[in-house]
């Protein structure tokens, strides 16, 4: 097993996740089996109880793990399926060690950060690195480990110490450290500054880790003189300094790394049994990156949500839309609309914001209402859904988006004026969305209906069934605590809102489709978590096809994309 540790310096959010994913993609293109682990030094057990404004979206895995969004990057780039134990947190490690102490495993010993916490980290990494993540179920050969945060953070110190020890346990030919740093360029001088990188590498060395590669992030391409300066002051060869500037698409990052000789370096440094040249997989990435940059036709989608101030809050939704747009040769114009700005209360408080939000919604080719929690912004989402239904605008509702589509239909078409979800109004006389008692036990963390579950189509006449290739069932990832009330579904079906997909028992409503509408679809699951660059998610692909007026032609071709 070869281990590649990716650390970061100067600032957090520098792009370690994309760098780690890109390195994995390059090594996979050389014929190696690659897995990935993300370490988050926070004390939370997992990401499940975070606000999306803390660390971006909560990504859900097949096994129900609620994890950091970087695991989504790994899955999309490497086309693998990870597990919850591929996300290590300080909380998980301390819980693991404390449970062992209570069990008596350390009887007679003082339990300390060194050696007990650091040993637990190393043991966890070695065990998880062996778990197969590809469809062929073979043990991986390379494990890319991303250490979250920044070198020097107090909460990350036990993990840095663990890997200082681990480099000797694994042996030099099996362990490699890549340090991602920032090269800022102040507007006042326009000069690219190396001092932050020098200080960051010095701090890393002081903690006992020496970088084998220094990946320098910058806004613009870095000059050769800067590369030579970093090489001299950071005690590495010039070929060990890699530059990654801001690019139009993350698909371009593996190509930038490959062009700077990273395959040749890894072959020598880790003694890998590979050729110097990548295989067809990286050629596909190159073609995809070139196609992305040459797209001319534009499709605009309005994303109506409540976490629109930070794009990472809907990272997987954005990627799923982007994958689908690329598949049909369209450039995606994603317009984020804060749902509260569509509400009447905003018109009274700030009429400019209100009219700007509605202007965006009206000019969009399609409308998407993603998942979420809490009552704030729900009335604005209901307004957007109503607009999509009445004006026959292509619409996709995901999780809460589907539930609100049911609420809107009940109010507008069934004349149930107080219809609501018990999440927002526990005393409503028409509870069209109710909680699932077994998934509401009191504790908030890890108690929702989570992970990959089967949805069975109950009718042949379903747009989504055709988009999924006429499969009898699909398996997608879930994350919800509330569901459509199964006792009231017959009222909706009589008026044309069809529940075309159920769970395996037939009790839980999973997919809705509206009759006599170009594309009005809601799904209880989160199809964005399974979308891949070369395998777009069918519900999102359907939205893009409908928004560009090509859905019927696609279905008539037997769900084959035009060349």
């Amino acid at each position: 097993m070869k281990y590649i540790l990716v650390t970061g310096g100067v600032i957090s959010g520098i792009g370690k996740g994309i760098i780690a994913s890109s390195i994995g993609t390059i090594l996979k293109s050389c014929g190696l089996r690659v897995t990935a682990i993300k370490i988050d030094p926070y004390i939370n057990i997992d990401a499940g109880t975070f606000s999306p404004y803390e660390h971006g979206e909560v990504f859900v895995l097949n096994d129900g793990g609620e994890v950091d969004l970087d695991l989504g990057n790994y899955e999309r780039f490497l086309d693998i399926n990870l597990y919850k134990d591929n996300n290590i947190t300080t909380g998980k490690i301390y819980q693991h060690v404390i449970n062992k102490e209570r069990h008596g495993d350390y009887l007679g010993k003082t339990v300390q950060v060194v050696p007990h916490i650091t040993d637990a980290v190393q043991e966890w990494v070695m065990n998880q690195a062996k778990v197969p993540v590809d469809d062929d179920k073979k043990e991986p050969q390379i494990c890319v480990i991303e250490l979250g945060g920044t070198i020097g953070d107090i909460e990350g110190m036990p993990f840095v110490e663990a890997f200082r020890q681990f480099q000797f346990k694994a042996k030099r030919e099996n362990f490699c450290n890549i340090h991602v740093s920032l090269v800022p360029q102040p507007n006042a001088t326009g000069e690219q500054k190396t001092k932050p990188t020098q200080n960051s590498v010095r701090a890393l060395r002081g903690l006992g880790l020496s970088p084998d590669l220094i990946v320098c992030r910058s806004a613009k391409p870095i000059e050769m003189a800067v590369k030579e300066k970093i090489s001299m002051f950071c005690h590495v060869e010039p070929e060990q300094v890699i530059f990654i500037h801001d690019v139009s698409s993350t698909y371009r990052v593996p190509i930038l790394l490959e062009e700077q000789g990273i395959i040749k370096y890894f072959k020598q440094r880790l003694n890998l049994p590979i050729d110097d040249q990548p295989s067809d997989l990286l050629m596909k990435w190159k073609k995809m990156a070139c196609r992305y940059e040459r797209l001319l036709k534009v499709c605009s989608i309005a994303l109506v949500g409540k976490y629109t101030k930070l794009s990472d809050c809907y990272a997987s939704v954005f990627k799923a839309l982007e994958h689908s747009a690329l598949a049909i040769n369209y450039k995606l114009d994603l317009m984020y609309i804060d749902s509260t700005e569509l509400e009447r209360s905003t018109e009274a408080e700030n009429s400019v914001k209100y009219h700007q939000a509605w202007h965006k919604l009206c000019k969009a080719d399609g409308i998407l209402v993603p998942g979420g929690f809490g009552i704030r912004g729900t009335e604005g989402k209901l307004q957007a859904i109503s607009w999509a239904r009445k004006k026959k605008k292509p619409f996709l509702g995901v999780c809460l988006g589907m539930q609100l589509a049911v609420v809107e239909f009940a109010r507008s078409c069934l004349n149930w004026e107080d219809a609501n979800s018990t999440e927002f109004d526990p005393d409503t006389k028409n509870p069209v969305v109710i909680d699932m008692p077994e998934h509401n036990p009191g504790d908030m963390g890890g108690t929702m209906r989570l992970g990959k579950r089967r949805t069975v189509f109950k009718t042949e006449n379903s747009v989504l069934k055709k988009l999924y290739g006429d499969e009898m069932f699909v398996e997608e990832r879930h994350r919800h605590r509330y569901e459509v009330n199964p006792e009231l579904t017959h009222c909706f079906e009589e008026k044309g809102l069809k529940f075309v997909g159920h769970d395996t028992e037939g009790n839980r409503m999973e997919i809705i489709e509206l009759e006599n509408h170009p594309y009005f679809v809601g799904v209880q699951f989160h199809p964005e978590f399974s979308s891949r660059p070369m395998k777009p998610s069918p519900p999102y692909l359907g939205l893009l096809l409908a928004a560009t007026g090509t859905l019927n032609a696609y279905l008539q071709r037997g769900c084959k994309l035009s060349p």
Side-chain angles (χ1 to χ4, degrees):
M1 178 67 69
K2 310 288 184 182
Y3 300 92
I4 298 172
L5 175 66
V6 180
T7 56
V10 186
I11 59 169
S12 60
I14 199 168
K16 297 187 298 294
I18 297 295
I19 299 293
S21 303
S22 299
I23 286 164
T25 301
I26 289 169
L27 293 171
K28 186 166 185 175
S29 77
C30 295
L32 297 168
R33 294 186 298 278
V34 183
T35 187
I37 291 173
K38 171 72 190 290
I39 296 174
D40 286 302
Y42 46 67
I43 297 173
N44 303 61
I45 298 294
D46 59 29
T49 54
F50 281 142
S51 158
Y53 282 138
E54 290 286 314
H55 296 273
E57 75 170 6
V58 177
F59 191 81
V60 179
L61 302 170
N62 278 346
D63 65 355
E66 296 173 287
V67 296
D68 186 83
L69 62 82
D70 275 320
L71 275 82
N73 286 325
Y74 306 154
E75 287 204 344
R76 285 187 286 268
F77 272 72
L78 298 169
D79 194 16
I80 55 178
N81 289 306
L82 297 171
Y83 301 90
K84 57 185 165 192
D85 285 345
N86 287 81
N87 191 194
I88 303 173
T89 68
T90 296
K92 282 182 182 177
I93 292 293
Y94 273 78
Q95 188 180 58
H96 173 70
V97 170
I98 289 167
N99 287 343
K100 286 179 76 174
E101 186 273 332
R102 293 288 85 187
H103 189 254
D105 291 9
Y106 305 121
L107 216 52
K109 296 281 196 311
T110 303
V111 181
Q112 295 174 288
V113 173
V114 180
H116 300 102
I117 295 295
T118 52
D119 283 354
V121 171
Q122 295 172 62
E123 183 186 318
W124 195 305
V125 167
M126 286 191 291
N127 290 339
Q128 198 59 30
K130 296 173 186 171
V131 176
V133 290
D134 283 309
D135 291 337
D136 61 9
K137 301 298 179 190
K138 290 183 180 176
E139 188 177 307
Q141 298 162 290
I142 306 269
C143 181
V144 180
I145 307 153
E146 180 194 343
L147 176 56
T150 309
I151 289 300
D153 292 347
I154 192 166
E155 60 262 36
M157 290 298 186
F159 294 103
V160 176
E161 171 59 22
F163 286 107
R164 185 196 68 75
Q165 298 170 20
F166 186 69
Q167 65 187 331
F168 303 111
K169 188 182 286 186
K171 302 288 186 286
R172 177 176 162 75
E173 65 273 14
N174 298 324
F175 183 87
C176 173
N177 177 212
I178 297 170
H179 190 61
V180 185
S181 184
L182 178 70
V183 177
Q185 191 170 3
N187 290 332
T189 61
E191 184 186 359
Q192 291 172 327
K193 297 292 185 181
T194 64
K195 191 63 72 180
T197 297
Q198 293 177 44
N199 290 338
S200 180
V201 170
R202 189 182 299 118
L204 185 64
R205 281 219 167 86
L207 295 169
L209 286 170
S210 291
D212 296 286
L213 288 174
I214 300 172
V215 177
C216 299
R217 290 278 293 109
S218 62
K220 296 174 183 174
I222 295 176
E223 297 150 16
M224 188 52 68
V226 176
K227 182 173 188 171
E228 289 166 355
K229 190 175 180 182
I230 291 170
S231 164
M232 181 170 67
F233 283 101
C234 295
H235 196 62
V236 291
E237 295 282 349
E239 58 266 26
Q240 290 172 265
V241 182
I242 306 287
F243 296 153
I244 302 292
H245 59 274
D246 291 350
V247 286
S248 60
S249 157
T250 52
Y251 305 135
R252 184 60 67 184
V253 177
I255 297 153
L256 283 176
L257 288 168
E258 189 264 331
E259 286 170 351
Q260 294 178 67
I262 203 167
I263 295 176
K264 186 180 177 185
Y265 178 79
F266 278 134
K267 183 182 178 182
Q268 294 170 346
R269 174 66 181 78
L270 295 173
N271 195 22
L272 297 174
I274 56 174
D275 297 327
D276 286 350
Q277 296 301 316
S279 69
D280 295 341
L281 180 61
L282 206 60
M283 292 305 295
K284 285 180 183 175
W285 274 87
K286 284 183 181 178
K287 286 177 185 173
M288 189 165 60
C290 290
R291 263 180 62 219
Y292 182 87
E293 287 157 9
R294 287 201 303 262
L295 295 172
L296 297 173
K297 294 182 287 185
V298 178
C299 177
S300 60
I301 299 294
L303 188 154
V304 183
K306 61 189 255 190
Y307 307 113
T308 53
K309 292 181 179 67
L310 181 67
S311 60
D312 270 357
C313 296
Y314 298 111
S316 291
V317 170
F318 170 66
K319 287 296 178 188
L321 288 167
E322 191 179 62
H323 299 161
S324 297
L326 186 59
I328 61 172
N329 294 312
Y330 271 79
K331 198 180 190 88
L332 175 68
D333 174 19
L334 184 58
M335 300 182 291
Y336 293 96
I337 300 174
D338 187 332
S339 56
T340 57
E341 293 176 5
L342 298 171
E343 296 174 359
R344 286 287 179 190
S345 56
T346 303
E347 185 181 21
E349 294 164 13
N350 189 332
S351 61
V352 174
K353 262 189 181 178
Y354 174 80
H355 290 294
Q356 283 175 342
W358 272 101
H359 177 67
K360 273 189 192 175
L361 188 75
C362 294
K363 73 175 185 179
D365 298 315
I367 296 169
L368 170 68
V369 178
F373 298 91
I375 193 167
R376 184 175 68 83
T378 51
E379 287 304 316
K381 291 175 185 175
L382 288 166
Q383 294 283 338
I385 293 164
S386 180
W387 170 266
R389 182 179 58 78
K390 290 172 183 173
K391 299 295 180 183
K392 296 198 181 296
K393 283 272 185 187
F395 165 80
L396 175 63
V398 175
C399 196
L400 177 63
M402 169 189 152
Q403 294 172 5
L404 290 177
V406 171
V407 171
E408 192 281 328
F409 193 88
R411 290 181 184 180
S412 302
C413 301
L414 301 182
N415 297 317
W416 298 349
E417 290 180 8
D418 77 329
N420 215 331
S421 166
T422 56
E423 180 181 4
F424 312 129
D425 181 5
D427 301 319
T428 176
K429 291 175 186 170
N430 291 294
V432 294
V433 177
I434 56 174
D435 72 331
M436 299 178 283
E438 72 273 33
H439 295 288
N440 211 346
D443 283 349
M444 295 292 284
T447 55
M448 285 185 275
R449 185 169 178 249
L450 292 163
K452 186 167 80 170
R453 293 168 188 269
R454 183 169 291 189
T455 295
V456 181
F457 289 104
K458 69 160 197 173
T459 174
E460 294 297 317
N461 187 27
S462 159
V463 173
L464 216 51
K465 186 176 193 294
K466 291 170 186 170
L467 287 166
Y468 272 104
D470 270 324
E471 297 287 344
M472 298 301 293
F473 62 85
V474 293
E475 292 183 327
E476 293 280 10
R477 301 175 186 183
H478 293 67
R479 183 177 185 246
H480 64 111
R481 189 171 270 124
Y482 293 82
E483 63 171 343
V484 174
N485 189 342
E487 293 178 8
L488 301 176
T489 54
H490 64 279
C491 302
F492 293 90
E493 299 219 326
E494 287 167 8
K495 291 285 187 177
L497 188 69
K498 303 295 184 183
F499 294 89
V500 300
H502 296 171
D503 69 345
T504 48
E505 281 78 40
N507 298 325
R508 299 214 152 113
M509 304 302 115
E510 294 280 357
I511 304 169
I512 60 167
E513 290 179 12
L514 182 61
E515 288 182 341
N516 304 316
H517 193 287
Y519 190 80
F520 191 96
V521 172
V523 290
Q524 184 59 73
F525 45 82
H526 288 268
E528 64 270 19
F529 294 143
S530 305
S531 183
R532 303 286 185 262
M534 296 173 202
K535 289 186 283 186
S537 165
Y540 285 90
L541 182 61
L543 177 65
L544 267 292
L545 287 164
T548 55
T550 55
L551 178 59
N552 288 335
Y554 176 77
L555 295 174
Q556 284 164 12
R557 286 196 304 271
C559 294
K560 289 185 174 66
L561 293 167
S562 56

